[in-house]
Amino acid sequence: MAIKPKADRKLAFSLILIVPIAAIYLYLVIGRPIAIVFPDMQAAMVQASAIRGSVSLAPALLKKADPRASVFVYARAKQGPVMPLAIVRTTVSALPYAYQLDDSVSVMADLKLSQAGEVVVVARVSKTGDAKSQKGDLQGLSGPVTPGSDKVDVEINAVLP
C-alpha cells in the first residue's frame, strides 16, 4: 500500500503554520523565559541599577512654588546627551519626596539607566507642567553618581535664568 503524498503536504503545511503561531502565543503569554526560571532575578536587577534618594525644596523658595506644580526627578548622563535616562513625576505638595530611578521608568527602551556610567540627578519644579526646562523653573542637581547609588538627596535651590 502506497502512502499518499497529499497527507504529507497537509501535515507539513499545518506544522509550518502552527509552530510559529504557537511560539508567538507562548512568548506573549509567558514573556521572557528567564523570568520563569529566576523570578526574583528581574527585581534584583532593577534594584541593583536603581538610584534612590529624596528631593526637597529649599526654604527660601517655598513661596515661589505652587503646591500643585509638577516636580520632575530624572537622571541624565554626566557626559553626552541631556535626554533623561529615567524620570519620575510628583508635585510640590508631596515634597520632601523619596524617589527611585531605575530601568522601569526609562524614557526610551534603548537608553537605560543601568547602562550608564556616571549620571546627574536633576529635580525641577515646572511652572508650566512641561518636562522641558523653562525660564523661572526651580531646580536642583546632584553631583555625579553611578547607578546603584543610595541616599542621593537633591535640594531644589535655584531659579533657572
Side-chain angles (χ1 to χ4, degrees), residues 15-141:
L15 289 175
I16 288 172
L17 288 176
I18 292 172
V19 170
I21 291 171
I24 292 169
Y25 174 77
L26 287 173
Y27 180 77
L28 292 175
V29 171
I30 296 173
R32 294 182 297 180
I34 191 100
I36 295 169
V37 179
F38 303 104
D40 295 329
M41 182 181 277
Q42 187 174 10
M45 288 172 52
V46 167
Q47 294 299 324
S49 71
I51 297 175
R52 292 177 206 78
S54 67
V55 174
S56 61
L57 185 61
L61 297 179
L62 283 173
K63 292 182 181 178
K64 293 187 177 199
D66 178 355
R68 298 169 293 166
S70 293
V71 177
F72 295 95
V73 183
Y74 60 93
R76 63 173 169 78
K78 178 185 170 195
Q79 305 259 331
V82 295
M83 176 70 142
L85 300 171
I87 189 167
V88 293
R89 183 179 188 170
T90 188
T91 60
V92 169
S93 63
L95 298 177
Y97 175 71
Y99 72 88
Q100 176 172 315
L101 299 172
D102 55 46
D103 288 347
S104 71
V105 291
S106 290
V107 176
M108 298 179 67
D110 58 339
L111 290 175
K112 294 193 180 288
L113 182 62
S114 61
Q115 298 168 342
E118 286 189 312
V119 299
V120 174
V121 177
V122 179
R124 190 170 40 76
V125 176
S126 172
K127 293 190 176 221
T128 63
D130 189 12
K132 186 176 179 184
S133 63
Q134 297 183 18
K135 180 181 177 179
D137 284 352
L138 310 177
Q139 181 172 284
L141 305 170

